[in-house]
Amino acid sequence: MNAGDTAWVLVSAALVMVMTPGLAFFYGGMTRSKSVLNMLMMSTVCLAVVSVLWALYGYSWAFGNDVGGGLIGGGEFAGLADTVGAMVGVGSDSAPWPGTDALPAPAFVMFQLMFAVITPALISGAVADRTKFWGWTAFVVLWVTIVYFPVAHWVFAFDGFTGPDNVGGWIANTLKAEDFAGGTAVHINAGAAALALAIVLGKRRGWPREPMRPHNLPFVLLGMALLWFGWFGFNAGSALSAGDLAATAFTNTMLATATALIGWLLVEQFRDGHPTTLGAASGAVAGLVAITPACGFVQPVGALAIGLIAGAVCALAVGLKFRFGLDDSLDVVGVHLVGGIVGTLLIGFVGDNSVNSAAAGDNGLFYGGGLVQLGRQALAAGAVLLYSFVVALVLGYLITVTIGFRIDEENEATGIDETEHAETAYDFSSLGSRALAGASRPATPATREPVGESR
Amino acid sequence: MKLVTAIVKPFALEDVRGALEHLGVLGLTVGEVRGHGRQKGHTEIYRGAEYSVDYVPKVRIETVVDDEVADTVVDAVVEASRTGRIGDGKIWVQPVETIVRVRTGERGSDAV
């Protein structure tokens, strides 16, 4: 066991954890004030629900020994059996398993858990303002079970990683598409599901006629800051070691995010005449998304290019929802699906195996590798996109016809915070505000019988 | 007596107050309000989507003055709040039947 690596992965897991509440604020600030609590709750519930499922069977289905042609892992780690006291590491013929840099399995289990938590939370931005809380929670349970856990197996499970004879997923081992920290498994996966749910749930009442402006842009920027900070754990932690690869991933993450922010602002300046706060926050996240799959496979100059392209492309993409009449409330498709695709495909151009000795794929086009890797990247992206979209669409309609997925029109107009959670985020009342302490205080005294008298 | 109501840009409030004080106007009521005139609101841009904001923040200043100074007061408010750009506001003057000082019960000009 390597104590330095273990410490880094544990710290990274904690960094990734804070991304989910960070995302909640990023999204929460973008909603109207009557919906902010529901937005925060849709992320918060993922922390709880997905953690439990991950322990019960999620980790096993993602990282257990393959039972279905690279499509899903087995049940041997259900309930996190055989993880305490066990090690994970890169095993091969030349290096005995576990290798010298092996990690305690629980460190890896927790690190990967945080990815499983934030991925469904990313989807929630597409369904803001109009989704029943328990309908959403049911969707999270079903989607991570049927989509995330298997797709994590496809992309993240490497042969021999969790045991000497352990067989991993098809994208990682057979297709040899490269995804360092989850461009396909996390961002394309979530973005495709977001597209499906935006279709299932339909437009918000009044969209796009009524302005639905962000109610708190400082929240958005605060959320962006937490995401950016946590993303160093997401990307550099994915090296699973405290060494030069982690440092490279860290560097690339910083550089791509910086150029993406600038790219988005430049598009806004030329298109709209003003660089906006929301644009800066969105550009940063677009850059973080795009560099995620690539951060361990590209040179810093590649990261600069990926960020700039992603920032500009995503800034242009978010406008398309008005053209298609698709109410993806907070642009999950425009930022995560498009950003994820941009980053995944650009590995086919700027991927450089000299960055990462463990890289299984070929060099990108600009590093003498031809178009082979680009094709693999496109296939991986397309497979995850299609699977996630179709399953999310089916699950969405299933929830709609069973427990119901969308709140009714009156509640939507009143505000989802009040009707779904019996709370409002802000109390601005200054004239005669009167707390209704407990059920015994009548809401409208004039129409109620005196307290204490029998009816 | 006349009620002078002025809807002006928020930043002009202190200048208007100073001008009225200079004229010896003793009482003011001020409120934050929103609205629009013939130019309508302004535009905000979020992720490339333009939203027109129909109701622009303004302040409403109200004061009751004697008939003979009403025109002077109006001129002073105009002077203090005019920028020459769109959205400077409106002022209107209405007759007031009576006015009562609550503390003493005085009525009419004595109560102004």
Side-chain angles (χ1 to χ4, degrees), chain A residues 164-187:
Chain A
D165 304 319
N166 166 268
V167 177
W170 71 279
I171 288 180
N173 298 291
T174 312
L175 183 61
K176 298 194 188 304
E178 292 181 331
D179 183 355
F180 194 72
T184 51
V186 175
H187 297 290

Side-chain angles (χ1 to χ4, degrees), chain A residues 346-394:
Chain A
L346 285 178
I347 294 172
F349 293 95
V350 295
D352 177 4
N353 282 351
S354 70
V355 173
N356 185 344
S357 58
D362 290 2
N363 273 335
L365 186 65
F366 298 160
Y367 289 83
L371 289 168
V372 177
Q373 194 59 30
L374 180 63
R376 292 170 176 166
Q377 298 299 115
L379 195 58
V384 172
L385 196 166
L386 194 67
Y387 181 63
S388 178
F389 177 80
V390 170
V391 175
L393 204 63
V394 172

Side-chain angles (χ1 to χ4, degrees), chain A residues 26 30 211-214 217 271-272 276 278 282 322 330-331, chain B residues 34 42-55:
Chain A
F26 180 71
M30 275 190 267
M212 298 179 181
R213 294 177 290 152
L217 285 170
R271 185 183 57 190
D272 313 320
T276 68
L278 183 59
S282 312
F322 295 102
L330 311 181
D331 297 313
Chain B
R34 288 170 171 274
H42 61 91
T43 301
E44 294 182 13
I45 301 167
Y46 299 97
R47 280 183 175 160
E50 289 194 6
Y51 297 99
S52 74
V53 178
D54 291 336
Y55 305 107

Side-chain angles (χ1 to χ4, degrees), chain B residues 1-107:
Chain B
M1 288 165 296
K2 294 282 193 283
L3 168 65
V4 179
T5 304
I7 307 286
V8 299
K9 287 181 172 173
F11 83 94
L13 175 61
E14 280 311 299
D15 288 346
V16 171
R17 195 191 61 80
L20 293 178
E21 196 173 353
H22 187 70
L23 281 180
V25 173
L26 299 170
L28 281 185
T29 305
V30 175
E32 293 176 21
V33 293
R34 288 170 171 274
H36 66 77
R38 43 173 86 178
Q39 89 286 356
K40 294 292 172 60
H42 61 91
T43 301
E44 294 182 13
I45 301 167
Y46 299 97
R47 280 183 175 160
E50 289 194 6
Y51 297 99
S52 74
V53 178
D54 291 336
Y55 305 107
V56 183
K58 299 283 176 188
V59 291
R60 176 167 60 206
I61 303 167
E62 289 173 311
T63 183
V64 176
V65 297
D66 283 327
D67 290 346
E68 56 269 25
V69 298
D71 280 344
T72 321
V73 166
V74 170
D75 290 343
V77 174
V78 170
E79 174 86 5
S81 58
R82 173 151 53 196
T83 67
R85 290 192 291 275
I86 285 170
D88 271 352
K90 293 276 190 297
I91 301 168
W92 58 88
V93 180
Q94 296 162 281
V96 173
E97 261 180 39
T98 190
I99 180 166
V100 182
R101 175 173 286 138
V102 173
R103 176 169 57 86
T104 59
E106 290 164 284
R107 286 172 184 255

Side-chain angles (χ1 to χ4, degrees), chain A residues 214-311:
Chain A
H215 90 284
N216 191 334
L217 285 170
F219 267 7
V220 176
L221 220 62
L222 175 71
M224 175 217 76
L226 287 169
L227 283 169
W228 195 335
F229 176 71
W231 225 295
F232 290 122
F234 201 93
N235 285 358
S238 290
L240 297 176
S241 60
D244 54 0
L245 185 58
T248 301
F250 194 115
T251 305
N252 287 339
T253 302
M254 189 69 204
L255 297 181
T257 310
T259 48
L261 194 159
I262 294 165
W264 192 301
L265 290 184
L266 288 176
V267 167
E268 285 193 331
Q269 181 65 50
F270 288 121
R271 185 183 57 190
D272 313 320
H274 297 280
T276 68
T277 308
L278 183 59
S282 312
V285 172
L288 289 161
V289 167
I291 198 59
T292 293
C295 61
F297 301 113
V298 299
Q299 300 280 356
V301 68
L304 290 166
I306 288 173
L308 192 66
I309 293 167

